[in-house]
Amino acid sequence: MKALVDPNRALAEGLGRIRRQFQVPETFPQEVMAAAEAAAGRAPTAHADRTDRPFVTLDPASSTDLDQAFAIEGSGPDLLLHYAIADVAWFVDHGGPIDAEAWRRGATQYLPDGKAGLYPPVLSEGAASLLPTGPRPAVVFTVRVASDGSVRLDGAERAIIRSVAKLAYDSVRDADLPAGFAELSERIKAAEARRGATRVDPPEQEVARLDDGRLALRFRPRLASEDRNAALSLATNMAVADALQVRRTGLFRVMPEPDARAVARLRRTARAFGLCWPDMASLAQFERRLDPADAQDAAFMLAVRRAGAPASYVPYQEGVTPWHAAMAATYAHATAPLRRLADRYVVEAALAVANGRPTPETVEEAFAKLPAVMARAAAAGGQIERAVIDLAETVMLHGREGETFQAVVTDVDDRGARMQLCALPVVSRIAAPGASPGEELCVRLNTADPHRPPATFERAD
């Protein structure tokens, strides 16, 4: 991990330029703030009392916008996952100022010096967040997880819940978690393997704030606690998606399989990395052997992530089974309504169908409009993230112009070669005709101007 001291405030000033370039809102309009303050005092009146059930949350330690809390109990050979989701719809009036602003934003955007939330903090980090500071309104999905990892939505209700612990990925102990947590996640993982799911979570390049206030550029591996927690969300999203599909409504997350050309390119990449991919093994089978802690395996996992078309949202279509290739399942986003606009409407639809009611008209109308809104928010988020990393890399490298570095080519496309420096968490593009994935390069740093990122390189060999 490389820490960025930023003595000349190049990074801070650069983040300001990124915020202006992508028009990242600094605050909320006054009428939205006033509406949120009023909504935060709204007393729940349509909620069952479930405060006797010991819910907990599990998130990054610094998170305060907590979408999910969970409790687990046995039911014969099955496990019952009670997954509480922040009841955002309880606080947000359809067509009101908060709702209109959320539609303009689409999703929370994250930068190292702060986030631009989907909703005002008085809601997202206060009244609607499932913090352990008192009872909170939630929508509780009860998901039945069988011994083979299959899932079914057993029920959904509005409820008042109480979180008894705010647990963090990097410090949680098994004893802190509900009994059945590890077993449930293992069941979901085993079911993924049987389905042939190709969901991969390689280390991600990120700029993170350290405890002392400095920023660090690093490749962040996923923790075991994070993967196990993701299994709970996956189980809920799959159960909700199946329930909505049966009732001929919903908004689904879909992703196509990598096509034959992409798989052939991935096979060449694997050979270049010296990875043994048997001819008879599918991509899914091969991926399950990869270790994200291994540099070459992780680089290949990143190549897989970029090989196929990106995921997108689609509303229910008669006669069409929505499919997410990486999940090998019908899948929806329902578990992060404080951070994604679409989730609020999926939660409302699931709450209705689980209780035998028709999906509200306003929700059906939203399903038709949300794919474009969410695509725009995702595109903006990706551009912001890349701009932040380009800036951090440039600040890190500033003053080292002319030095040479060892690098490995991780991918090649029509824009040139993508390479990763061996000694620093830097990923960049370079003009390297004839280069192939896995090839080692010696490169020279040409420019590293914090006012004009990204840094640029040329071959030195």
Side-chain angles (χ1 to χ4, degrees):
M1 183 170 65
K2 176 70 174 179
L4 307 177
V5 180
D6 197 24
N8 299 317
R9 291 188 52 80
L11 188 56
E13 292 174 5
L15 290 172
R17 287 195 301 273
I18 290 170
R19 287 178 174 275
R20 292 189 295 274
Q21 177 186 353
F22 294 101
Q23 299 180 327
V24 179
E26 295 183 4
T27 186
F28 288 84
Q30 188 57 45
E31 66 273 19
V32 176
M33 295 291 285
E37 289 283 353
R42 188 173 294 171
T45 58
H47 297 70
D49 186 349
R50 298 289 181 255
T51 53
D52 60 336
R53 185 173 287 153
F55 285 90
V56 298
T57 62
L58 180 57
D59 298 273
S62 60
S63 293
T64 52
D65 49 348
L66 308 185
D67 291 284
Q68 313 114 10
F70 57 92
I72 299 170
E73 64 175 306
S75 177
D78 299 337
L79 292 171
L80 292 182
L81 168 63
H82 302 291
Y83 210 55
I85 307 298
D87 192 0
V88 179
W90 183 255
F91 296 98
V92 179
D93 295 326
H94 176 71
I98 307 171
D99 185 44
E101 183 65 18
W103 275 85
R104 280 189 286 271
R105 298 184 180 217
T108 295
Q109 301 293 359
Y110 293 89
L111 288 90
D113 59 348
K115 63 192 174 192
L118 179 60
Y119 299 105
V122 68
L123 294 179
S124 63
E125 301 175 54
S129 178
L130 302 182
L131 292 161
T133 53
R136 291 291 195 278
V139 174
V140 179
F141 294 120
T142 296
V143 179
R144 182 173 294 272
V145 182
S147 56
D148 65 356
S150 59
V151 298
R152 184 183 76 210
L153 185 63
D154 263 15
E157 64 175 355
R158 278 197 152 107
I160 301 297
I161 66 117
R162 185 190 300 274
S163 171
V164 299
K166 181 180 183 292
L167 306 176
Y169 290 139
D170 60 359
S171 61
V172 66
R173 302 168 302 168
D174 288 346
D176 301 328
L177 292 158
F181 176 78
E183 169 64 20
L184 193 152
S185 63
E186 286 303 314
R187 291 184 183 189
I188 299 303
K189 183 178 178 181
E192 282 190 280
R194 284 192 296 272
R195 292 196 311 270
T198 59
R199 183 170 61 95
V200 294
D201 295 300
E204 294 183 354
Q205 191 183 25
E206 69 169 11
V207 179
R209 185 171 293 279
L210 304 178
D211 292 340
D212 60 7
R214 292 181 301 162
L215 297 175
L217 180 63
R218 63 187 181 183
F219 284 104
R220 182 187 68 84
R222 286 173 65 90
L223 299 171
S225 58
E226 191 174 359
D227 284 332
R228 287 179 169 180
N229 193 47
L232 275 60
S233 180
L234 174 62
T236 304
N237 284 328
M238 288 174 54
V240 165
D242 288 343
L244 293 177
Q245 178 72 2
V246 167
R247 290 291 297 272
R248 299 181 177 182
T249 186
L251 183 72
F252 303 92
R253 193 77 167 145
V254 298
M255 175 187 281
E257 295 272 6
D259 59 24
R261 183 178 176 184
V263 173
R265 187 166 62 246
L266 286 169
R267 282 192 175 275
R268 292 194 295 270
T269 302
R271 283 198 299 272
F273 283 168
L275 303 177
C276 180
W277 181 352
D279 291 340
M280 299 302 293
S282 68
L283 175 60
Q285 291 168 332
F286 179 56
E287 281 188 281
R288 286 196 289 274
R289 304 178 184 180
L290 300 176
D291 178 6
D294 179 272
Q296 287 185 313
D297 284 10
F300 183 79
M301 293 167 78
L302 288 169
V304 173
R305 175 175 285 186
R306 294 193 296 269
S312 60
Y313 290 90
V314 297
Y316 172 81
Q317 301 173 61
E318 188 67 36
V320 176
T321 299
W323 198 249
H324 194 295
M327 305 295 182
T330 298
Y331 184 68
H333 271 167
T335 56
L338 289 174
R339 289 168 281 171
R340 292 187 301 244
L341 175 64
D343 294 43
R344 166 159 53 106
Y345 292 92
V346 174
V347 168
E348 286 193 75
L351 183 61
V353 302
N355 290 282
R357 301 191 301 267
T359 306
E361 265 187 54
T362 54
V363 173
E364 291 285 7
E365 292 169 358
F367 285 160
K369 301 173 185 175
L370 279 165
V373 175
M374 300 308 294
R376 185 176 68 244
Q383 291 171 332
I384 291 168
E385 180 182 18
R386 187 63 249 174
V388 168
I389 290 173
D390 284 345
L391 172 66
E393 290 177 344
T394 305
V395 171
M396 176 190 294
L397 293 166
H398 182 59
R400 302 183 67 173
E401 293 85 345
E403 287 188 33
T404 57
F405 301 85
Q406 294 301 120
V408 175
V409 176
T410 59
D411 196 16
V412 177
D413 57 25
D414 55 4
R415 293 179 292 166
R418 187 191 299 267
M419 65 173 188
Q420 178 180 319
L421 298 191
C422 296
L424 293 172
V426 171
V427 176
S428 185
R429 287 193 175 273
I430 188 171
S436 58
E439 182 176 344
E440 294 184 1
L441 301 177
C442 181
V443 299
R444 180 180 296 107
L445 177 62
N446 277 343
T447 65
D449 182 354
H451 297 284
R452 289 190 164 185
T456 63
F457 296 84
E458 65 178 3
R459 292 188 72 158
D461 48 357

